[in-house]
Amino acid sequence: MNIRRFFSSAITITEMEARKIRHDSTELWTRIIQPALWLLIFGETFNTIRAIPSGNFSYLQFLTPGILAQSVLFISIFYGITVVWERDVGIITRLLSTPSPRYSIVLGKSIAAGLRGVLQAIMIFLLALILGVKVRFDPFDITGVFLVVILFAMCFSCLSMLLASYMKTRDRMMGIGQALTMPLFFASNAIYPISIMPSWLQYVSIVNPLTYAVDAIRSLLVEGNYANLPIDILVLAISTVIFQVLASRTIKKLLE
Amino acid sequence: MDVFRPRESAKTALNNKAIEAENLAKIYRGNIKAVDGITFSIDQGEIFGLLGPNGAGKTTTIKMIMTLTTKTSGSLHVFGLDVSKYSEQVRKMIGYIPQSISVDADLTAYENLLIFSKLSYVEKKERDSRIHKALEYMGLSARKDEIVKRYSGGMMRRLEIAQALVNHPKLLLLDEPSIGLDPSSKKQVWDSIRQLNQEFGTTILITTHDMNEADELCDRIAIMSEGKIAVMGTPAELKREVGGDIITVEMSDSYHIPSFPKVIGKIIRNDDLEIEILTEDGEQAIPLIADFFRGHGISVESISINKANLDDVFMKYAKRRLTDEMFKSVRKTRRDFARHSR
């Protein structure tokens, strides 16, 4: 397999997505509503009553990385629906009938989810600016957040494509997406610290990749303490590779 | 204009068949034999048709050639390459137009071709000229920057053919290319298929359940039924096998017909005023028949021709009518269920 061709195929798949977003960006704007409500209503309320311990930072500061990760999770966990839809309209058949290797197509799709994640992150940065949430707008940290978001979106979009290979319909993917997002979200440090969880839930949160994504984004965006960053990124990278390989092997099942 | 002429590569010598399948089978879970041990080969430069009702195994055969699904047993070679070993090389030589529209409706026509040619590794310096030539060839240049969503069905089909052309395929697979098109778009698609074959020598494999389409386009046809090839040959050969054309002669009065020359045909029915003659080639027989009757002083009211068609051939080999077949087939429905529940 030719490495240069492999990556050029993956980038082309991402380019395809970018061109679609350029033609119609409605989705980007509608996707800002939910995180805005979380920050404005949930965030502001708990910020005022101080019910959740958030260390040296305000609750809004604590919450912003969690909500960023949550909205990227939504984008990527439902990415399989897009792929099922593309199967229904023949695009997957088209892609798989090119000489490009399957791994490169799945990789390209997951980077495309990463691209959507980055655009979402930019929206949430803007939201944080408007709400006056103090986050570290340092070029290094922002770049770091983007990279973590891309990795995280790749991880869960591959999981979603893996599930889509077996589920095969949009309805089932909708169901499984709904069933997964809330447990993942609540069993993570997105809206409260792990330390206040019941101990059984703490164990669950340790195997939840969302925890590591939130931790990485929070340390870059709020805390400026990078001690946990290597382990966070390692866990995310390993899960991404596993899901990537599995999804690439199963994607052809979608056509059967 | 040799822009679409496929390049010869060392691996695919001229003497190779475009497609060679031997005892090829695809068995889905539950022992459903979608393709049940078929053997056929297609010469380079040929237009070959797989004709049969839905569920006969045509699309599965195409998908195996396109490496979109793996065979269960048998062997399958494309230009001498084993498809299970060289799937990426095989895909590089084939242009594929699937049954359902597969262009991306959220992109422009130009973008569709751009993405596809990148994924097919068309060299960067050739890319733009190939895209523009393909668009021009299919008559889409004027609207190349329009989002495909706004195209008509016929235009989408043409875009699809344009897309299959940018990688200069040596072999073009078309799965039901004219399904759902109005007569004029259908004709346009047929014309471009023929043109590609004649001008550039592209080998073409087409599946259809439309007898006219098969008759019109194909050099050779294989009739598939329940996963097997029932019969194979040129349309003329196949039609000859079911007996040929029937000429009906209506006479103004009741006459006694003396001996009828065998070279013209055979009388198969003789009412007092109407005679049916079975001939090999109806158009050639009509003047001979007219001369014969005139020579015997028999005055003729009318002569009509009933040409043998591929439906008769299908009837003979599959013991069913192709037209009925499209609507009712328990087996087909069962296969569909099996396919969709996986």
Side-chain angles (χ1 to χ4, degrees):
Chain A
M1 193 162 30
N2 183 324
I3 296 291
R4 196 181 59 83
R5 284 189 162 186
F6 180 86
F7 284 105
S8 106
S9 291
I11 295 301
T12 304
I13 300 284
T14 313
E15 178 192 344
M16 191 173 170
E17 189 91 347
R19 285 178 181 270
K20 283 190 207 180
I21 298 173
R22 199 181 61 181
H23 287 308
D24 183 4
S25 58
T26 321
E27 195 191 325
L28 291 187
W29 300 102
T30 53
R31 278 205 190 272
I32 196 66
I33 296 169
Q34 210 177 9
L37 291 177
W38 273 97
L39 286 178
L40 274 169
I41 298 170
F42 189 85
E44 292 285 2
T45 310
F46 281 78
N47 204 28
T48 318
I49 62 175
R50 297 179 180 282
I52 297 173
S54 50
N56 303 327
F57 304 99
S58 78
Y59 183 65
L60 261 179
Q61 279 176 299
F62 178 87
L63 183 65
T64 304
I67 295 306
L68 170 52
Q70 181 212 37
S71 58
V72 175
L73 172 73
F74 281 161
I75 291 175
S76 37
I77 207 90
F78 289 108
Y79 201 74
I81 296 184
T82 317
V83 176
V84 171
W85 181 79
E86 288 188 342
R87 188 275 315 267
D88 292 344
V89 297
I91 296 170
I92 295 296
T93 308
R94 162 69 58 209
L95 296 179
L96 294 184
S97 67
T98 64
S100 293
R102 281 176 188 134
Y103 280 80
S104 72
I105 287 165
V106 171
L107 178 66
K109 286 271 163 215
S110 68
I111 299 174
L115 173 73
R116 285 190 178 271
V118 165
L119 294 170
Q120 181 74 10
I122 294 171
M123 296 294 219
I124 291 178
F125 288 151
L126 293 176
L127 202 62
L129 267 181
I130 294 166
L131 296 179
V133 184
K134 283 205 188 76
V135 293
R136 297 156 54 89
F137 281 112
D138 176 274
F140 171 78
D141 293 320
I142 298 291
T143 315
V145 169
F146 285 161
L147 292 177
V148 171
V149 162
I150 291 174
L151 196 56
F152 176 58
M154 285 173 72
C155 175
F156 277 95
S157 59
C158 284
L159 170 66
S160 187
M161 284 188 269
L162 172 64
L163 292 169
S165 310
Y166 291 96
M167 295 293 141
K168 295 182 201 296
T169 70
R170 276 175 272 173
D171 301 336
R172 288 193 206 154
M173 280 310 289
M174 203 64 171
I176 201 135
Q178 303 280 15
L180 280 175
T181 43
M182 283 305 152
L184 282 170
F185 182 53
F186 288 121
S188 80
N189 53 353
I191 52 175
Y192 35 70
I194 292 178
S195 55
I196 66 164
M197 289 180 187
S199 61
W200 65 270
L201 194 57
Q202 294 193 1
Y203 288 117
V204 179
S205 76
I206 290 173
V207 294
N208 181 357
L210 180 61
T211 304
Y212 297 90
V214 172
D215 191 60
I217 298 172
R218 192 168 280 147
S219 62
L220 287 160
L221 207 57
V222 182
E223 293 164 353
N225 168 8
Y226 307 137
N228 283 337
L229 212 48
I231 186 95
D232 291 336
I233 289 180
L234 189 69
V235 171
L236 282 178
I238 291 173
S239 340
T240 306
V241 169
I242 292 172
F243 290 139
Q244 188 90 51
V245 170
L246 291 175
S248 304
R249 297 180 84 102
T250 56
I251 191 86
K252 209 164 79 170
K253 283 184 193 292
L254 254 184
L255 298 183
E256 284 175 357
Chain B
M1 189 167 139
D2 63 352
V3 281
F4 302 123
R5 199 183 302 277
R7 275 173 302 183
E8 282 303 324
S9 71
K11 268 190 188 160
T12 62
L14 261 175
N15 54 3
N16 278 327
K17 298 268 186 192
I19 296 177
E20 242 182 324
E22 250 188 74
N23 291 321
L24 183 64
K26 174 74 188 182
I27 300 167
Y28 284 113
R29 202 183 302 169
N31 204 24
I32 294 153
K33 292 174 177 158
V35 173
D36 192 4
I38 58 173
T39 300
F40 68 96
S41 68
I42 301 179
D43 290 324
Q44 297 197 19
E46 202 175 12
I47 303 186
F48 189 90
L50 283 176
L51 182 66
N54 296 329
K58 298 170 300 191
T59 299
T60 309
T61 306
I62 289 247
K63 281 188 170 168
M64 283 191 278
I65 297 168
M66 198 61 235
T67 77
L68 288 173
T69 188
T70 45
K71 61 176 198 261
T72 310
S73 63
S75 80
L76 180 59
H77 289 82
V78 173
F79 294 106
L81 295 180
D82 187 335
V83 295
S84 43
K85 282 190 197 132
Y86 299 97
S87 63
E88 278 156 30
Q89 286 93 322
V90 166
R91 289 204 296 270
K92 204 163 176 357
M93 291 188 285
I94 310 182
Y96 171 46
I97 298 169
Q99 196 163 357
S100 49
I101 293 287
S102 70
V103 289
D104 195 326
D106 293 325
L107 295 174
T108 68
Y110 176 82
E111 286 172 329
N112 264 290
L113 298 196
L114 178 72
I115 298 288
F116 185 74
S117 59
K118 282 185 177 180
L119 292 177
S120 303
Y121 306 124
V122 175
E123 284 190 35
K124 199 175 175 185
K125 56 179 192 295
E126 278 183 54
R127 208 183 284 149
D128 242 35
S129 79
R130 280 206 202 177
I131 292 172
H132 284 113
K133 276 175 184 148
L135 285 168
E136 204 171 310
Y137 191 71
M138 297 311 298
L140 294 167
S141 292
R143 295 174 68 180
K144 69 181 168 63
D145 293 322
E146 206 172 306
I147 302 276
V148 173
K149 237 179 245 178
R150 306 197 191 106
Y151 275 24
S152 68
M155 287 176 76
M156 285 192 194
R157 262 289 180 234
R158 277 187 281 147
L159 175 59
E160 212 140 11
I161 298 178
Q163 196 167 38
L165 296 181
V166 286
N167 68 338
H168 293 193
K170 292 159 67 79
L171 169 66
L172 195 58
L173 305 179
L174 298 111
D175 198 356
E176 305 273 0
S178 63
I179 206 165
L181 292 185
D182 60 89
S184 82
S185 307
K186 198 183 260 193
K187 197 176 168 304
Q188 249 177 333
V189 168
W190 288 358
D191 286 345
S192 36
I193 292 172
R194 245 188 308 248
Q195 207 177 342
L196 274 169
N197 175 257
Q198 282 164 6
E199 283 182 37
F200 314 115
T202 314
T203 309
I204 289 167
L205 171 61
I206 170 173
T207 77
T208 181
H209 59 234
D210 179 344
M211 297 157 293
N212 291 331
E213 187 165 75
D215 205 356
E216 183 90 2
L217 284 173
C218 301
D219 298 325
R220 280 195 308 140
I221 290 169
I223 291 184
M224 284 191 83
S225 170
E226 299 186 359
K228 291 193 163 91
I229 291 182
V231 64
M232 189 156 47
T234 66
E237 275 169 12
L238 295 182
K239 283 186 282 189
R240 211 171 302 141
E241 276 188 49
V242 288
D245 306 338
I246 293 167
I247 311 278
T248 309
V249 182
E250 200 188 327
M251 298 172 296
S252 52
D253 210 341
S254 163
Y255 290 99
H256 170 69
I257 307 292
S259 61
F260 194 77
K262 280 214 175 74
V263 279
I264 304 181
K266 199 175 120 198
I267 294 178
I268 50 171
R269 194 169 65 87
N270 188 352
D271 293 348
D272 264 1
L273 294 171
E274 217 177 65
I275 299 175
E276 277 186 6
I277 303 158
L278 182 67
T279 63
E280 272 198 11
D281 186 325
E283 274 96 350
Q284 283 181 10
I286 286 178
L288 299 175
I289 290 169
D291 286 350
F292 173 83
F293 281 84
R294 203 172 298 132
H296 284 81
I298 302 168
S299 84
V300 170
E301 290 269 296
S302 73
I303 298 180
S304 58
I305 179 168
N306 190 357
K307 290 189 71 73
N309 63 34
L310 290 172
D311 196 15
D312 301 329
V313 181
F314 185 79
M315 177 70 189
K316 180 176 172 187
Y317 287 97
K319 307 280 178 274
R320 291 193 301 272
R321 287 268 160 205
L322 201 48
T323 32
D324 302 342
E325 199 55 33
M326 292 182 201
F327 303 104
K328 44 145 208 184
S329 166
V330 182
R331 209 188 193 101
K332 177 219 144 217
T333 321
R334 246 187 259 147
R335 275 198 195 122
D336 257 8
F337 275 135
R339 231 166 267 169
H340 284 99
S341 56
R342 238 163 314 104

